[in-house]
């Protein structure tokens, strides 16, 4: 039994190395790739994905799993093993049993179509030409439907796809959560829209990029990101990626006339990076050394970005420091001005620029459109119209062109259906964890004001990071907060914060 | 037959993609890797090498080659095929027949030892502690001897190793060529040492790095390096690498107080890059899309760096431009001062900083030591002493420590025995090609003076680059110059140039 386990560990170690190689290729593509290199890079990434699929479906892996008693009913096996080993088996079983259901042809076709589609999307968005992108999206939708059929599902094809990013989450649960969330947000937005708007014009002055970077790097270091185990670079779309346990890289982008983009982007991505760097040594380099789910991952980045990074306590500490970098730009701006400015709420067209109140509406919109597409209740041809209708309905704004509408996000062009909800889940998980953190560190605000971010990282490490994916999102949430997923901690957080920012009266 | 050929092309296409993936990993390691990431990166590179070895030795490849009539006696096969296809088969046969002779265990052990050894070498060089590196070198020497035995050879184990970098070259031929070269160089050096030394103190002033880079980039562009198909970055050890046919990257390093390092480095690496970017479309992406040999590759970089980049004609064009970047530093320096300054000859300790007269002595030294190690006539323990003796003998200088002596180069720590001679061969091939180029472009100097480097690139493309490795080094040399390899064009070039620089009387 010990021998089977060790053999399995050897085999899956190679899978992690292949994943990391894929991350190197992806990181370089986003940060350094010369224009003409894209076709060959797509071929390289496709080969690594094919090798990965090839290796996870090796019959020998199936035999070893069988030998250890793993099955759909007992994914952690039936042998007398320690908890970490059982979690490890559960994770391998999950990946193996999903992979063997997918024909190699489909995996390759998805990878190839996604790579072609991404290139087409870049051009279509530039040209504001949805028609040029539609055939690609149609292909990816069909391939995703085939993938869902191969993987199998009980209630909804979306279940099979969502499960890749948010294991064990169901579409029906999401619907319920999103209904509650939507109801609350619509009420809050209505109240905010009646209050006087805050002034953030001071954020739109020129903030030289090199100073933005220098300040961002001090915050990143204060948060505990050790750059001997990572990097920060520039890319068009900010992201975090692990090229190894000791090589976690974030990217950001700079907008000279919109200071918020880089600083909150850096805090967000550092939140992801700290999770990746915080897995326990005893799962180092194995399949458990990854986030419990994308939603849990997003909870880390959104907590740092919003619950901490847009708090009064944080800027009580950092505003005087920021003024040393930008004395002219912030001359005459006091703490209250600054705090309100970085927390301005305004319905807008672009998800990645949305404030934390309207952000989830963008996710609900995508969730509804994705499920309708998969159900056959919406065609790819009708998608732009449906998008614009939903924007009007949810946020009261309409894109002037598809570039600011249906074409704004890269994810569909990557073939990632079922991915967007994890962003909203991140906000909910994050608020729920943070409520607990506040209970356990009662003087949190005072500590943050004194510049002590280490107490937050220590708590997150101990309670969330070290486990990696040895616990599921649900298990983790239950264990840390004692509760099931709920909209309540998030809505309570928004309520308190925006009552303050917009001086609202009670609900 | 056509079907077998196409199947083979599919299989070998994957090998090229794997090689390119290895190049991505290697490039990133040298330019971006966080300190703590080295162990995992080594594991990634080892896996790619193992996969490559695994795939080139697939029985199916052997069967396809057999089917096409390939053998040691007929590496290009026995079927009625066009020349490119026969060259292609010869190249695949060569790689396949070498690979099947090497056990997978040996390939992995070499990769792993090399990676451990490189890390040990970095530390040993810093600490000037040869003893800390010696056990690694000993292991790599033994593994290389085993590799040579596996590959087989007639006269000398060095033949088997040399052949990896310089196909079909023999140790005995090198000995003969190096004997002629050494005799000539010793005579020239003696005459130069009696002439008054040139003054290059103006090169040692501070030249701001950002201006060095800006000037270097203009030269690189003039040479024809299209950066939509490549990049230039910074690394500790400059190199060129292909991450794909359309993604060729060079690196350089900057020394504020030694301007020559970056500019001649950039010209050198761009010479390599132009070769990689110049392969014919009909061998694009297949195994023939690489240099004919490392010696031929080096002929391209050394020709650009020295025969063109250190010529009077080149600086007649560029010195006025350079003075716009560095008006203070070059104030009062005329063309003659500059030309002599960048061509100063002086026996020195470090190969990569050596002038073009003494450079080959560094290579001859390494060749003699490497062959003695493989013959068992020299032990790893005695190597530093032998190194210092040879330095005294060949160049009249002795390293103050092993850091400036036996530990200076990375190559042995990479397990690359048989590699160094290709540097000297590059000088010889380069001069031989250039003699021909001068015959075909009689007004070359005038053109260079007018800034027309395009005529050089066009000639090199047509005569050397397009062929890739569809011709061997010997075939290429014969075809382009009508002659076998000879020291004469190189010694004639040095004779003319240094008679001018040092105002020597005739031989």
């Amino acid at each position: 039994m010990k021998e089977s386990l060790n053999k399995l560990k050897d085999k899956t170690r190679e899978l992690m190395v292949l994943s990391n190689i894929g991350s190197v290729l992806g990181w370089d593509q986003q940060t350094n790739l010369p224009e003409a290199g894209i076709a060959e890079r797509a071929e390289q990434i496709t080969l690594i994905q094919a090798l990965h699929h090839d290796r996870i479906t090796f019959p020998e892996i199936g035999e070893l799993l069988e030998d250890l008693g793993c099955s759909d009913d007992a994914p952690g096996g039936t042998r007398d093993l320690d908890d970490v080993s059982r979690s490890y088996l559960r994770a391998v079983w999950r990946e193996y049993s999903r992979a063997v259901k997918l024909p190699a042809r489909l995996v390759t076709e998805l990878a190839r179509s996604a790579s072609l589609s991404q290139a087409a999307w870049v051009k279509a968005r530039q040209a504001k030409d949805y028609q040029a992108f539609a055939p690609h999206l149609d292909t990816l939708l069909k391939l995703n439907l085939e993938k869902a059929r191969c993987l199998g599902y009980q209630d909804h094809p979306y279940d099979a796809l969502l499960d890749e990013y948010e294991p064990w989450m169901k579409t029906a649960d999401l619907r319920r959560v999103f209904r509650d969330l939507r109801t609350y947000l619509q009420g809050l937005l209505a109240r905010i829209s009646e209050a006087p708007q805050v002034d953030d014009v001071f954020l739109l002055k020129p903030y030289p990029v090199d100073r933005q970077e220098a300040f961002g790097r001090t915050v990143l270091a204060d948060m505990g990101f050790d750059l001997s185990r990572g990097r920060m670079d520039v890319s068009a779309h900010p992201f975090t990626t692990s090229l190894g346990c000791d090589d976690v890289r974030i990217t950001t982008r700079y907008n000279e006339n919109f200071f918020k983009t880089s600083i909150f982007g850096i805090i967000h991505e550092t939140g992801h990076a700290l999770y990746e760097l915080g897995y326990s040594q005893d799962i180092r380099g194995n399949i458990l050394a990854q986030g419990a789910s994308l939603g849990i991952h997003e909870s880390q980045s959104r907590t740092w970005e919003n619950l901490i990074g847009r708090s009064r306590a944080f800027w009580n500490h950092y505003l005087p420091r920021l003024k040393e970098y930008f004395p002219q730009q912030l001359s005459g701006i006091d703490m209250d001005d600054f705090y309100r400015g970085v927390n301005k709420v305004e319905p807008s067209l672009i998800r990645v620029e949305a404030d934390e109140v309207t952000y989830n509406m963008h996710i609900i919109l995508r969730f509804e459109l994705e499920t309708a597409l998969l159900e056959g209740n919406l065609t790819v041809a009708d998608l732009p119209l449906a998008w614009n209708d939903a924007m009007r309905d949810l946020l009261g704004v309409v894109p002037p062109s598809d570039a600011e509408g249906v074409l704004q996000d890269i994810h569909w062009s990557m073939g990632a259906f079922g991915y967007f909800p994890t962003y909203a889940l991140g906000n909910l998980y994050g608020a729920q964890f943070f409520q607990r953190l506040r209970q356990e560190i009662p003087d949190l605000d005072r500590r943050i004001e004194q510049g002590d971010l280490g107490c937050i990282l220590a708590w997150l490490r101990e309670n969330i990071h070290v486990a990696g994916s040895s616990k599921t999102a649900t298990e983790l949430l239950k264990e840390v907060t004692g509760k099931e997923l709920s909209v309540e901690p998030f809505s309570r957080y928004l309520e308190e914060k925006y009552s303050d920012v917009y001086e609202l009266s009670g609900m």
Side-chain angles (χ1 to χ4, degrees), chain A:
Chain A
M1 182 185 74
K2 201 73 200 162
E3 202 191 334
S4 297
L5 190 63
N6 285 337
K7 265 195 198 162
L8 194 64
K9 282 193 174 161
D10 276 355
K11 294 275 164 208
T12 56
R13 174 70 203 138
E14 238 178 52
L15 290 168
M16 284 303 283
V17 178
L18 281 173
S19 290
N20 287 336
I21 292 170
S23 299
V24 178
L25 298 172
W27 176 86
D28 183 82
Q29 177 174 337
Q30 302 300 325
T31 54
N32 291 311
L33 194 70
E35 200 184 321
I38 183 68
E40 289 169 298
R41 180 54 51 87
E43 198 177 357
Q44 293 159 11
I45 290 174
T46 304
L47 177 60
I48 292 296
Q49 287 178 351
L51 284 168
H52 193 277
H53 184 260
D54 185 48
R55 301 215 150 205
I56 181 70
T57 56
F58 266 1
E60 195 181 346
I61 295 215
E63 287 156 21
L64 290 167
L65 285 167
E66 198 180 327
D67 194 38
L68 290 154
C70 297
S71 68
D72 276 339
D73 295 329
T78 52
R79 306 310 183 92
D80 182 28
L81 291 167
D82 60 280
D83 284 353
V84 173
S85 297
R86 292 177 64 84
S87 293
Y88 163 76
L89 285 180
R90 179 171 70 172
V92 177
W93 173 258
R94 185 183 135 76
E95 194 160 342
Y96 169 79
S97 60
R98 281 177 65 90
V100 290
K101 291 176 189 156
L102 298 177
R105 177 201 50 75
L106 179 61
V107 171
T108 305
E109 227 173 290
L110 262 166
R112 192 173 7 234
S113 300
S115 121
L116 290 171
S117 176
Q118 277 175 69
W121 167 76
V122 170
K123 283 188 192 161
R125 191 171 69 152
Q126 272 165 4
K128 307 182 181 194
D129 179 8
Y130 177 75
Q131 293 313 318
F133 176 59
H136 292 276
L137 187 57
D138 205 52
T139 302
L140 285 170
L141 177 63
K142 290 199 174 93
L143 290 170
N144 267 284
L145 274 165
E146 185 184 346
K147 183 175 162 184
R149 275 195 304 274
C150 291
L151 291 170
Y153 53 87
Q154 289 197 304
D155 296 331
H156 199 292
Y158 202 71
D159 285 344
L161 303 177
L162 175 65
D163 188 70
E164 178 165 342
Y165 309 107
E166 198 64 26
W168 289 281
M169 178 63 71
K170 298 294 172 214
T171 312
D173 295 329
L174 273 186
R175 277 203 212 279
R176 188 178 38 75
V177 167
F178 284 175
R179 195 190 51 221
D180 293 352
L181 186 58
R182 180 178 174 159
T183 305
Y184 172 72
L185 292 176
Q186 278 178 323
L188 178 61
L189 266 175
R191 287 153 63 216
I192 288 175
S193 70
E194 283 161 22
Q197 186 52 291
V198 305
D199 180 8
D200 68 346
V201 74
F202 67 90
L203 289 170
L204 307 175
K205 293 179 185 173
Y207 287 73
V209 163
D210 58 336
R211 307 251 76 198
Q212 288 190 37
E213 179 181 344
F215 178 72
R217 285 188 183 273
T218 67
V219 175
L220 163 166
D222 291 348
M223 288 171 67
F225 186 4
D226 167 9
L227 289 184
S228 78
R229 298 177 66 201
R231 293 179 56 89
M232 177 171 83
D233 296 273
V234 172
S235 69
H237 304 277
F239 64 98
T240 301
T241 183
S242 285
L243 287 62
C245 306
D246 290 319
D247 185 3
V248 176
R249 305 187 186 183
I250 70 168
T251 68
T252 189
R253 59 181 161 191
Y254 298 97
N255 181 341
E256 196 182 48
N257 296 305
F258 197 63
F259 165 68
K260 288 202 293 183
T261 302
S262 79
I263 185 60
F264 292 108
I266 289 170
I267 297 173
H268 178 101
E269 300 304 336
T270 299
H272 282 303
L274 293 173
Y275 191 10
E276 290 286 307
L277 289 166
Y279 304 133
S280 152
Q281 280 298 318
D282 61 348
I283 56 171
R284 185 186 158 86
N286 86 25
I287 197 171
L288 294 177
Q290 48 187 314
S293 74
L294 286 193
I296 298 293
H297 229 305
E298 195 71 8
S299 78
Q300 299 307 293
S301 54
R302 301 287 288 182
T303 294
W304 280 105
E305 177 192 351
N306 293 329
L307 285 71
I308 301 162
R310 291 183 206 258
S311 70
R312 277 195 186 271
F314 187 86
W315 289 108
N316 273 334
H317 177 75
Y318 279 108
L319 185 58
R321 283 158 182 82
L322 186 65
K323 285 191 172 187
E324 290 170 18
Y325 287 80
F326 302 109
Q328 273 91 47
Q329 293 87 338
L330 294 170
S331 158
I333 300 298
D334 68 17
M335 179 55 209
D336 212 55
D337 301 330
F338 191 86
Y339 174 64
R340 287 158 174 255
V342 299
N343 284 297
K344 182 181 179 184
V345 174
E346 191 168 42
S348 64
L349 297 168
I350 306 297
R351 174 184 61 84
V352 298
E353 291 166 9
D355 58 80
E356 57 183 329
V357 175
T358 58
Y359 186 92
N360 293 296
M361 292 299 205
H362 293 265
I363 302 306
I364 292 170
L365 173 147
R366 287 158 178 74
F367 169 70
E368 289 178 355
L369 296 178
E370 282 188 349
T371 47
L373 283 168
L374 286 165
E375 288 159 2
N377 292 327
L378 175 64
T379 66
V380 165
D382 291 336
L383 184 61
L385 201 64
W387 180 288
N388 294 352
D389 285 349
M391 277 305 274
R392 189 182 301 110
D393 182 32
L394 286 166
L395 288 169
V397 291
V398 179
S401 88
D402 289 336
E404 298 85 29
V406 67
L407 288 174
Q408 71 180 261
D409 280 309
I410 194 175
H411 302 74
W412 285 341
S413 80
M414 296 161 67
F417 287 80
Y419 180 101
F420 281 117
T422 65
Y423 287 136
L425 288 171
N427 290 321
L428 303 182
Y429 292 144
Q432 199 161 333
F433 287 136
F434 205 65
Q435 203 174 46
R436 182 74 202 167
L437 185 154
R438 279 201 176 281
Q439 287 162 5
E440 296 192 10
I441 311 181
D443 60 341
L444 180 69
D445 286 336
R446 194 186 53 77
R447 291 213 199 181
I448 295 175
E449 276 169 16
Q450 290 170 355
D452 173 13
L453 304 179
C455 67
I456 305 172
L457 179 57
W459 189 92
L460 294 172
R461 279 246 150 110
E462 184 185 336
N463 289 281
I464 296 166
H465 300 179
V466 289
S469 62
S470 60
K471 294 168 191 160
T472 67
T474 312
E475 287 167 358
L476 199 61
L477 200 65
K478 192 74 194 284
E479 202 173 293
V480 176
T481 72
K483 293 185 186 136
E484 308 287 331
L485 175 62
S486 148
V487 171
E488 197 269 338
F490 181 65
S491 56
R492 176 182 297 203
Y493 155 73
L494 289 185
E495 190 62 30
E496 284 175 11
K497 179 166 182 179
Y498 289 94
S499 295
D500 177 20
V501 173
Y502 280 92
E503 298 174 343
L504 308 177
S505 48
M507 281 177 99

